[in-house]
Coordinates of all heavy atoms in Angstrom, one line a residue:
M26 N 2.0 -4.9 16.0 CA 2.9 -5.4 15.2 C 2.7 -4.8 13.7 O 1.6 -4.5 13.4 CB 2.7 -6.9 15.1 CG 2.9 -7.7 16.3 SD 2.7 -9.5 16.3 CE 2.0 -9.8 14.8
K27 N 3.7 -4.7 13.0 CA 3.7 -4.0 11.8 C 4.0 -5.0 10.5 O 5.0 -5.9 10.6 CB 4.7 -2.8 11.7 CG 4.5 -1.9 10.5 CD 5.1 -0.6 10.8 CE 4.8 0.3 9.7 NZ 5.3 1.7 9.9
L28 N 3.3 -5.0 9.5 CA 3.4 -5.7 8.2 C 3.7 -4.8 7.1 O 3.2 -3.7 7.0 CB 2.2 -6.6 7.8 CG 1.8 -7.6 8.9 CD1 0.4 -8.3 8.4 CD2 2.7 -8.7 9.1
K29 N 4.4 -5.4 6.0 CA 4.5 -4.7 4.8 C 3.8 -5.6 3.9 O 3.9 -6.8 3.8 CB 5.8 -4.4 4.4 CG 5.9 -3.9 2.9 CD 7.3 -3.6 2.5 CE 7.8 -2.4 3.0 NZ 7.2 -1.0 2.6
I30 N 2.7 -5.0 3.1 CA 1.9 -5.9 2.3 C 2.3 -5.3 0.8 O 2.2 -4.2 0.6 CB 0.4 -5.6 2.6 CG1 0.2 -6.2 3.9 CG2 -0.5 -6.4 1.6 CD1 -1.3 -5.8 4.5
L31 N 2.5 -6.4 0.0 CA 2.9 -6.1 -1.4 C 1.7 -6.7 -2.3 O 1.3 -7.8 -2.0 CB 4.1 -6.8 -1.8 CG 5.3 -6.3 -1.0 CD1 6.5 -7.1 -1.3 CD2 5.6 -4.8 -1.0
L32 N 1.4 -5.9 -3.3 CA 0.3 -6.4 -4.1 C 0.9 -6.4 -5.7 O 1.5 -5.6 -6.2 CB -0.9 -5.4 -4.3 CG -1.4 -5.1 -2.8 CD1 -2.4 -3.9 -2.9 CD2 -2.3 -6.4 -2.5
F33 N 0.7 -7.6 -6.3 CA 1.3 -7.8 -7.6 C 0.3 -8.1 -8.7 O -0.8 -8.4 -8.5 CB 2.2 -9.0 -7.6 CG 3.5 -8.8 -6.8 CD1 3.5 -9.3 -5.4 CD2 4.6 -8.2 -7.3 CE1 4.6 -9.2 -4.6 CE2 5.7 -8.0 -6.5 CZ 5.8 -8.5 -5.2
A34 N 0.8 -7.8 -9.9 CA 0.1 -8.1 -11.2 C -1.2 -7.2 -11.3 O -1.3 -6.1 -10.8 CB -0.2 -9.5 -11.4
N35 N -2.3 -7.9 -11.6 CA -3.5 -7.2 -11.6 C -4.2 -6.8 -10.5 O -5.1 -5.9 -10.4 CB -4.7 -8.0 -12.5 CG -5.2 -9.3 -11.8 OD1 -4.3 -9.8 -11.1 ND2 -6.4 -9.7 -12.0
L36 N -3.8 -7.4 -9.3 CA -4.2 -6.9 -8.0 C -3.8 -5.4 -7.8 O -4.5 -4.6 -7.2 CB -3.6 -7.8 -6.9 CG -4.0 -9.3 -6.9 CD1 -3.4 -10.0 -5.8 CD2 -5.5 -9.5 -7.0
R37 N -2.5 -5.1 -8.2 CA -2.0 -3.7 -8.0 C -3.0 -2.8 -8.9 O -3.3 -1.8 -8.5 CB -0.6 -3.8 -8.6 CG 0.0 -2.4 -8.6 CD 1.5 -2.4 -9.1 NE 2.3 -3.4 -8.7 CZ 3.2 -3.9 -9.3 NH1 3.7 -3.5 -10.4 NH2 4.0 -4.8 -8.7
E38 N -3.3 -3.2 -10.0 CA -4.1 -2.3 -10.9 C -5.6 -2.2 -10.3 O -6.1 -1.2 -10.3 CB -4.1 -3.0 -12.3 CG -2.8 -2.9 -13.0 CD -2.6 -3.8 -14.2 OE1 -3.8 -4.2 -14.8 OE2 -1.5 -4.0 -14.7
L39 N -6.1 -3.3 -9.9 CA -7.5 -3.3 -9.4 C -7.6 -2.4 -8.0 O -8.5 -1.6 -7.9 CB -7.9 -4.6 -9.0 CG -8.4 -5.6 -10.0 CD1 -8.5 -7.0 -9.6 CD2 -9.7 -5.1 -10.7
L40 N -6.6 -2.4 -7.2 CA -6.7 -1.9 -6.0 C -6.0 -0.4 -5.9 O -6.1 0.4 -5.0 CB -6.2 -2.7 -4.8 CG -6.8 -3.9 -4.7 CD1 -6.0 -4.9 -3.7 CD2 -8.2 -3.8 -4.3
G41 N -5.2 -0.1 -7.0 CA -4.6 1.1 -7.2 C -3.3 1.4 -6.3 O -3.1 2.6 -6.0
L42 N -2.7 0.4 -5.8 CA -1.5 0.6 -5.1 C -0.7 -0.6 -5.0 O -1.3 -1.7 -5.3 CB -1.7 1.1 -3.6 CG -2.5 0.2 -2.7 CD1 -1.7 0.1 -1.4 CD2 -3.9 0.6 -2.6
S43 N 0.6 -0.6 -4.8 CA 1.6 -1.7 -5.0 C 1.9 -2.3 -3.5 O 2.3 -3.3 -3.5 CB 2.7 -1.4 -5.8 OG 3.5 -0.3 -5.3
E44 N 1.9 -1.4 -2.6 CA 2.2 -1.8 -1.2 C 1.5 -0.9 -0.2 O 1.1 0.2 -0.4 CB 3.8 -1.9 -1.1 CG 4.3 -0.5 -1.0 CD 6.0 -0.6 -1.0 OE1 6.6 -1.2 -1.8 OE2 6.2 -0.1 0.1
L45 N 1.5 -1.4 1.0 CA 1.0 -0.7 2.2 C 1.5 -1.3 3.4 O 2.0 -2.4 3.5 CB -0.6 -0.5 2.2 CG -1.3 -1.8 2.4 CD1 -2.6 -1.6 3.4 CD2 -1.9 -2.4 1.1
D46 N 1.7 -0.3 4.4 CA 2.1 -0.9 5.8 C 0.8 -0.9 6.6 O 0.0 -0.1 6.5 CB 3.1 0.2 6.4 CG 4.4 0.1 5.5 OD1 4.8 -0.8 5.1 OD2 4.9 1.2 5.5
M47 N 0.8 -2.0 7.5 CA -0.4 -2.2 8.1 C 0.0 -2.6 9.5 O 0.9 -3.5 9.9 CB -1.4 -3.2 7.5 CG -2.6 -3.6 8.4 SD -3.7 -4.6 7.3 CE -4.6 -3.2 6.6
E48 N -0.7 -2.2 10.7 CA -0.6 -2.6 12.0 C -1.6 -3.7 12.2 O -2.8 -3.6 11.9 CB -0.9 -1.5 13.0 CG 0.1 -0.4 13.0 CD 1.4 -0.7 13.6 OE1 1.4 -1.5 14.6 OE2 2.5 -0.1 13.3
I49 N -1.1 -4.7 12.9 CA -2.0 -6.0 13.3 C -1.8 -6.4 14.6 O -0.9 -6.0 15.3 CB -1.7 -7.2 12.2 CG1 -0.3 -7.7 12.4 CG2 -2.1 -6.9 10.8 CD1 -0.1 -9.1 11.9
D50 N -2.6 -7.2 15.2 CA -2.6 -7.7 16.5 C -1.8 -8.9 16.5 O -1.7 -9.6 15.5 CB -4.0 -8.0 17.0 CG -5.0 -6.8 17.2 OD1 -4.3 -5.8 17.6 OD2 -6.0 -6.9 17.2
E51 N -1.1 -9.1 17.7 CA -0.4 -10.5 17.8 C -1.2 -11.6 17.6 O -2.4 -11.6 18.1 CB 0.4 -10.5 19.2 CG 1.3 -11.6 19.3 CD 2.1 -11.5 20.6 OE1 2.2 -10.3 21.1 OE2 2.4 -12.5 21.1
G52 N -0.8 -12.7 16.9 CA -1.5 -13.8 16.8 C -2.5 -13.8 15.5 O -3.3 -14.7 15.1
T53 N -2.4 -12.7 14.7 CA -3.2 -12.5 13.5 C -2.7 -13.6 12.4 O -1.6 -13.7 12.2 CB -2.9 -11.2 12.8 OG1 -3.6 -10.2 13.8 CG2 -3.8 -11.0 11.5
R54 N -3.6 -14.3 11.9 CA -3.3 -15.3 10.8 C -3.6 -14.7 9.5 O -4.2 -13.6 9.3 CB -4.3 -16.5 10.9 CG -4.1 -17.2 12.3 CD -5.1 -18.3 12.4 NE -6.5 -17.7 12.5 CZ -7.5 -18.1 11.7 NH1 -7.4 -19.2 11.0 NH2 -8.7 -17.6 11.7
V55 N -3.2 -15.3 8.4 CA -3.4 -14.9 7.0 C -4.9 -14.7 6.8 O -5.1 -13.7 6.1 CB -2.7 -15.8 5.9 CG1 -3.1 -15.5 4.6 CG2 -1.1 -15.8 6.1
A56 N -5.6 -15.6 7.2 CA -7.1 -15.6 7.0 C -7.7 -14.3 7.7 O -8.6 -13.6 7.0 CB -7.8 -16.7 7.5
D57 N -7.2 -14.0 8.9 CA -7.7 -12.8 9.5 C -7.4 -11.5 8.8 O -8.0 -10.6 8.6 CB -7.0 -12.6 11.0 CG -7.4 -13.9 11.7 OD1 -8.5 -14.4 11.7 OD2 -6.5 -14.3 12.5
L58 N -6.0 -11.4 8.3 CA -5.5 -10.4 7.4 C -6.4 -10.2 6.2 O -6.7 -9.0 5.9 CB -4.1 -10.5 7.0 CG -3.5 -9.3 6.3 CD1 -3.6 -8.0 7.0 CD2 -2.1 -9.7 5.8
N59 N -6.8 -11.3 5.6 CA -7.6 -11.2 4.4 C -9.0 -10.6 4.8 O -9.5 -9.8 4.0 CB -7.9 -12.6 3.8 CG -6.6 -13.2 3.2 OD1 -5.6 -12.6 3.0 ND2 -6.7 -14.5 2.8
R60 N -9.6 -10.9 5.9 CA -10.7 -10.3 6.2 C -10.7 -8.9 6.5 O -11.5 -8.1 6.1 CB -11.4 -11.1 7.6 CG -12.0 -12.3 7.3 CD -12.9 -12.8 8.4 NE -12.0 -13.3 9.6 CZ -11.4 -14.5 9.5 NH1 -11.5 -15.2 8.5 NH2 -10.7 -14.8 10.5
V61 N -9.7 -8.5 7.3 CA -9.4 -7.0 7.5 C -9.3 -6.2 6.1 O -9.9 -5.2 6.0 CB -8.3 -6.8 8.3 CG1 -7.7 -5.2 8.4 CG2 -8.4 -7.2 9.7
L62 N -8.6 -6.8 5.1 CA -8.4 -6.0 3.9 C -9.6 -6.0 3.1 O -10.0 -5.1 2.4 CB -7.2 -6.8 3.1 CG -5.8 -6.6 3.8 CD1 -4.8 -7.5 3.0 CD2 -5.3 -5.2 3.6
S63 N -10.4 -7.2 3.2 CA -11.7 -7.2 2.5 C -12.7 -6.0 2.9 O -13.5 -5.8 2.2 CB -12.2 -8.5 2.4 OG -12.8 -8.9 3.7
N64 N -12.5 -5.6 4.1 CA -13.4 -4.7 4.7 C -13.0 -3.3 4.2 O -13.8 -2.3 4.6 CB -13.4 -4.7 6.2 CG -14.1 -5.9 6.7 OD1 -14.8 -6.4 6.2 ND2 -13.6 -6.3 7.9
R65 N -12.1 -3.0 3.4 CA -11.7 -1.7 2.9 C -12.7 -1.3 1.7 O -12.7 -0.2 1.3 CB -10.4 -1.8 2.4 CG -9.3 -1.9 3.6 CD -7.9 -2.0 3.0 NE -7.4 -0.7 2.6 CZ -6.4 0.0 3.0 NH1 -5.7 -0.5 3.9 NH2 -6.1 1.1 2.5
G66 N -13.5 -2.1 1.2 CA -14.5 -1.7 0.1 C -14.9 -2.9 -0.7 O -14.2 -4.0 -0.7
P67 N -15.7 -2.6 -1.7 CA -16.3 -3.7 -2.5 C -15.1 -4.4 -3.5 O -15.1 -5.7 -3.5 CB -17.3 -3.1 -3.4 CG -17.7 -1.8 -2.7 CD -16.4 -1.4 -1.9
I68 N -14.3 -3.6 -4.0 CA -13.2 -4.2 -4.9 C -12.3 -5.0 -4.0 O -11.9 -6.1 -4.3 CB -12.5 -3.1 -5.6 CG1 -13.5 -2.4 -6.6 CG2 -11.3 -3.8 -6.4 CD1 -12.8 -1.3 -7.3
W69 N -11.9 -4.5 -2.8 CA -11.1 -5.2 -1.9 C -11.8 -6.5 -1.5 O -11.1 -7.6 -1.4 CB -10.8 -4.3 -0.7 CG -9.9 -3.2 -1.0 CD1 -10.3 -2.0 -1.7 CD2 -8.5 -3.1 -0.7 NE1 -9.2 -1.1 -1.7 CE2 -8.1 -1.9 -1.2 CE3 -7.4 -3.9 -0.1 CZ2 -6.8 -1.4 -1.0 CZ3 -6.3 -3.5 0.0 CH2 -5.8 -2.1 -0.5
Q70 N -13.1 -6.4 -1.2 CA -13.8 -7.7 -0.8 C -13.7 -8.7 -1.9 O -13.4 -9.9 -1.6 CB -15.2 -7.3 -0.6 CG -16.0 -8.4 0.0 CD -17.5 -8.0 0.4 OE1 -18.0 -7.1 -0.1 NE2 -18.1 -8.7 1.3
N71 N -13.8 -8.4 -3.1 CA -13.8 -9.2 -4.2 C -12.4 -9.9 -4.3 O -12.3 -11.1 -4.6 CB -14.1 -8.7 -5.6 CG -15.6 -8.3 -5.7 OD1 -16.4 -8.8 -5.1 ND2 -15.8 -7.3 -6.6
V72 N -11.3 -9.2 -4.1 CA -10.0 -9.7 -4.2 C -9.7 -10.6 -3.1 O -9.3 -11.7 -3.2 CB -9.0 -8.5 -4.3 CG1 -7.6 -9.0 -4.1 CG2 -9.2 -7.8 -5.6
F73 N -9.9 -10.2 -1.8 CA -9.4 -10.9 -0.7 C -10.4 -12.0 -0.2 O -10.0 -12.8 0.7 CB -9.1 -9.9 0.5 CG -7.8 -9.0 0.1 CD1 -8.0 -7.8 -0.4 CD2 -6.6 -9.7 0.1 CE1 -6.8 -7.0 -0.8 CE2 -5.5 -9.0 -0.1 CZ -5.6 -7.7 -0.6
Q74 N -11.6 -12.1 -0.8 CA -12.4 -13.2 -0.4 C -12.4 -14.3 -1.5 O -13.0 -15.4 -1.4 CB -13.9 -12.7 -0.3 CG -14.0 -12.0 1.1 CD -15.4 -11.7 1.4 OE1 -16.3 -11.8 0.5 NE2 -15.7 -11.2 2.5
S75 N -11.5 -14.0 -2.5 CA -11.3 -15.0 -3.5 C -10.4 -16.2 -3.2 O -9.5 -16.1 -2.4 CB -10.5 -14.4 -4.8 OG -10.1 -15.3 -5.7
S76 N -10.9 -17.4 -3.5 CA -10.2 -18.6 -3.2 C -8.9 -18.9 -4.1 O -8.1 -19.6 -3.7 CB -11.0 -19.8 -3.1 OG -11.4 -20.1 -4.4
S77 N -8.8 -18.0 -5.0 CA -7.8 -18.3 -6.1 C -6.6 -17.4 -5.7 O -5.5 -17.6 -6.3 CB -8.1 -18.2 -7.4 OG -8.7 -16.8 -7.7
I78 N -6.7 -16.5 -4.8 CA -5.5 -15.6 -4.5 C -4.5 -16.3 -3.9 O -4.7 -17.2 -3.0 CB -6.1 -14.3 -3.7 CG1 -5.0 -13.2 -3.7 CG2 -6.4 -14.7 -2.3 CD1 -5.5 -11.9 -3.1
K79 N -3.2 -16.0 -4.1 CA -2.0 -16.6 -3.6 C -1.3 -15.7 -2.6 O -1.3 -14.4 -2.9 CB -1.0 -17.1 -4.6 CG -1.6 -18.0 -5.7 CD -2.0 -19.3 -5.1 CE -2.7 -20.2 -6.1 NZ -3.2 -21.4 -5.4
V80 N -0.8 -16.2 -1.6 CA -0.2 -15.4 -0.4 C 1.1 -16.0 -0.2 O 1.3 -17.2 -0.1 CB -1.1 -15.4 0.8 CG1 -0.5 -14.5 1.9 CG2 -2.5 -14.9 0.6
A81 N 2.2 -15.2 -0.1 CA 3.4 -15.4 0.3 C 3.8 -14.6 1.5 O 3.5 -13.4 1.6 CB 4.5 -15.4 -0.8
V82 N 4.4 -15.3 2.6 CA 5.0 -14.5 3.7 C 6.5 -14.7 3.7 O 6.9 -15.8 3.7 CB 4.3 -15.1 5.0 CG1 5.0 -14.3 6.2 CG2 2.7 -14.9 5.0
N83 N 7.2 -13.5 3.6 CA 8.6 -13.7 3.7 C 9.2 -14.5 2.5 O 10.1 -15.4 2.7 CB 9.2 -13.9 5.0 CG 8.8 -13.1 6.0 OD1 8.7 -11.8 5.8 ND2 8.5 -13.5 7.3
H84 N 8.6 -14.3 1.3 CA 9.0 -15.1 0.1 C 8.7 -16.6 0.1 O 9.3 -17.3 -0.6 CB 10.5 -14.8 -0.2 CG 10.8 -13.4 -0.2 ND1 10.6 -12.7 -1.3 CD2 11.3 -12.6 0.7 CE1 11.0 -11.4 -1.0 NE2 11.5 -11.3 0.3
E85 N 7.9 -17.1 1.0 CA 7.4 -18.5 0.9 C 5.9 -18.6 0.9 O 5.2 -17.8 1.7 CB 7.9 -19.2 2.2 CG 9.4 -19.3 2.2 CD 9.8 -20.3 3.3 OE1 9.2 -21.1 3.8 OE2 11.1 -20.0 3.7
L86 N 5.3 -19.4 0.1 CA 3.9 -19.6 0.1 C 3.4 -19.9 1.4 O 4.0 -20.6 2.1 CB 3.6 -20.6 -0.9 CG 3.5 -20.3 -2.4 CD1 3.2 -21.5 -3.3 CD2 2.7 -19.2 -2.8
A87 N 2.2 -19.2 1.7 CA 1.7 -19.4 3.1 C 0.2 -19.9 3.0 O -0.5 -19.7 2.0 CB 1.7 -18.0 3.8
E88 N -0.2 -20.6 4.0 CA -1.6 -21.1 4.2 C -2.4 -20.2 5.0 O -1.8 -19.3 5.6 CB -1.6 -22.4 5.0 CG -0.7 -23.5 4.3 CD -1.2 -24.0 3.0 OE1 -2.5 -23.9 2.8 OE2 -0.5 -24.3 2.1
L89 N -3.7 -20.2 4.9 CA -4.6 -19.2 5.5 C -4.3 -19.3 7.0 O -4.6 -18.3 7.8 CB -6.1 -19.5 5.1 CG -6.4 -19.3 3.7 CD1 -7.9 -19.9 3.5 CD2 -6.3 -17.7 3.4
D90 N -3.9 -20.4 7.6 CA -3.7 -20.4 9.1 C -2.4 -20.0 9.5 O -2.1 -20.2 10.7 CB -4.2 -21.8 9.6 CG -3.4 -22.9 9.0 OD1 -2.4 -22.8 8.2 OD2 -3.5 -24.1 9.6
S91 N -1.5 -19.6 8.5 CA -0.1 -19.1 9.0 C -0.3 -18.0 9.9 O -1.1 -17.0 9.5 CB 0.7 -18.9 7.8 OG 0.8 -19.9 7.0
V92 N 0.5 -18.0 11.0 CA 0.5 -16.8 12.0 C 1.5 -15.8 11.6 O 2.5 -16.2 11.4 CB 0.6 -17.4 13.4 CG1 0.7 -16.1 14.4 CG2 -0.4 -18.3 13.9
L93 N 1.1 -14.6 11.5 CA 2.0 -13.5 11.0 C 2.8 -12.9 12.3 O 2.3 -13.0 13.3 CB 1.2 -12.4 10.4 CG 0.5 -12.9 9.1 CD1 -0.6 -11.8 8.7 CD2 1.3 -13.2 8.0
K94 N 3.9 -12.4 12.0 CA 4.9 -11.8 13.0 C 5.3 -10.4 12.7 O 5.2 -10.1 11.4 CB 6.1 -12.8 13.2 CG 5.9 -14.3 13.5 CD 7.0 -15.1 13.8 CE 8.0 -15.1 12.4 NZ 7.4 -15.9 11.3
D95 N 5.7 -9.8 13.6 CA 6.0 -8.5 13.5 C 7.1 -8.4 12.3 O 8.0 -9.1 12.4 CB 6.5 -7.9 14.8 CG 6.8 -6.4 14.7 OD1 6.1 -5.6 14.0 OD2 8.0 -5.9 15.2
G96 N 7.0 -7.4 11.5 CA 8.0 -7.2 10.5 C 7.9 -8.2 9.2 O 8.6 -8.0 8.2
D97 N 6.9 -9.0 9.2 CA 6.7 -9.8 8.1 C 6.3 -9.0 6.8 O 5.8 -8.1 6.9 CB 5.5 -10.9 8.3 CG 5.9 -12.1 9.1 OD1 7.1 -12.3 9.4 OD2 5.0 -12.9 9.6
E98 N 6.7 -9.6 5.6 CA 6.3 -9.1 4.4 C 5.4 -10.0 3.8 O 5.6 -11.3 3.6 CB 7.6 -9.0 3.5 CG 7.3 -8.5 2.0 CD 8.6 -8.4 1.1 OE1 8.8 -9.4 0.6 OE2 9.2 -7.3 1.2
V99 N 4.1 -9.6 3.5 CA 3.0 -10.4 3.0 C 2.8 -10.0 1.5 O 2.4 -8.8 1.3 CB 1.8 -10.3 3.8 CG1 0.6 -11.3 3.2 CG2 2.0 -10.6 5.3
A100 N 2.9 -10.9 0.6 CA 2.7 -10.6 -0.9 C 1.6 -11.3 -1.4 O 1.4 -12.6 -1.1 CB 4.0 -11.1 -1.6
Y101 N 0.6 -10.6 -2.1 CA -0.4 -11.2 -2.6 C -0.3 -11.1 -4.2 O 0.0 -10.2 -4.7 CB -1.7 -10.3 -2.3 CG -2.2 -10.7 -0.9 CD1 -1.9 -9.7 0.1 CD2 -3.0 -11.7 -0.6 CE1 -2.3 -9.8 1.4 CE2 -3.4 -11.8 0.8 CZ -3.1 -10.9 1.8 OH -3.5 -11.2 3.0
F102 N -0.7 -12.2 -4.8 CA -0.7 -12.3 -6.3 C -1.8 -13.2 -6.9 O -2.1 -14.1 -6.1 CB 0.8 -12.7 -6.8 CG 1.3 -13.9 -6.1 CD1 1.2 -15.2 -6.8 CD2 2.0 -13.8 -4.9 CE1 1.8 -16.2 -6.3 CE2 2.4 -14.9 -4.3 CZ 2.5 -16.1 -5.0
P103 N -2.2 -12.9 -8.1 CA -3.2 -13.9 -8.6 C -2.4 -15.1 -9.0 O -1.3 -15.3 -9.2 CB -3.7 -13.2 -9.8 CG -2.5 -12.3 -10.3 CD -1.8 -11.8 -8.9
P104 N -3.3 -16.2 -9.3 CA -2.8 -17.5 -9.7 C -2.1 -17.3 -11.0 O -2.5 -16.5 -11.9 CB -4.0 -18.4 -9.8 CG -5.2 -17.5 -9.9 CD -4.8 -16.2 -9.1
V105 N -1.1 -18.1 -11.3 CA -0.3 -18.0 -12.5 C -1.1 -18.9 -13.5 O -1.5 -20.0 -13.2 CB 1.0 -18.6 -12.3 CG1 1.9 -18.6 -13.7 CG2 1.9 -17.6 -11.4
T106 N -1.4 -18.4 -14.6 CA -2.0 -19.1 -15.7 C -1.0 -19.4 -16.9 O 0.0 -18.6 -17.1 CB -3.2 -18.5 -16.1 OG1 -3.0 -17.2 -16.7 CG2 -4.2 -18.4 -15.0
G107 N -1.2 -20.4 -17.6 CA -0.4 -20.5 -18.8 C -1.1 -21.6 -19.6 O -2.0 -22.1 -19.4
G108 N -0.4 -21.8 -20.8 CA -1.0 -22.8 -21.7 C 0.0 -23.3 -22.7 O 1.2 -23.1 -22.7

């Protein structure tokens, strides 16, 4: 199964790319994808093991136990802050 992963805001800057395509196994959950991405190196580990990172699947906020499907678009972005 193939996913398109999008990275926004400072995540794009930290990781040096705005998107990537990734092959995953059937039944992969968002939490599983986070673990796979965190294994790409120390900076990736800091980003994808953070509890504050937000994830959207196909333009809708997703939970860690959301199961991913072939062709899904997964977007990661930092929490929105304001004042």
Side-chain angles (χ1 to χ4, degrees):
M26 296 186 350
K27 194 169 190 173
L28 299 177
K29 178 174 284 287
I30 299 170
L31 304 175
L32 304 164
F33 292 99
N35 69 329
L36 301 180
R37 177 185 309 158
E38 295 166 16
L39 282 170
L40 301 172
L42 63 141
S43 61
E44 68 180 65
L45 67 140
D46 293 324
M47 179 171 269
E48 292 284 332
I49 61 164
D50 294 328
E51 190 170 331
T53 296
R54 299 172 301 130
V55 169
D57 302 324
L58 179 61
N59 290 355
R60 274 193 293 282
V61 169
L62 291 169
S63 72
N64 287 333
R65 294 179 70 127
I68 295 172
W69 291 76
Q70 185 175 26
N71 289 340
V72 168
F73 291 100
Q74 289 184 350
S75 170
S76 61
S77 64
I78 193 171
K79 300 296 179 193
V80 183
V82 177
N83 300 324
H84 307 278
E85 292 188 24
L86 284 178
E88 300 295 326
L89 291 174
D90 62 351
S91 298
V92 177
L93 300 167
K94 300 179 298 298
D95 187 43
D97 279 350
E98 179 183 86
V99 182
Y101 286 96
F102 50 97
V105 176
T106 60

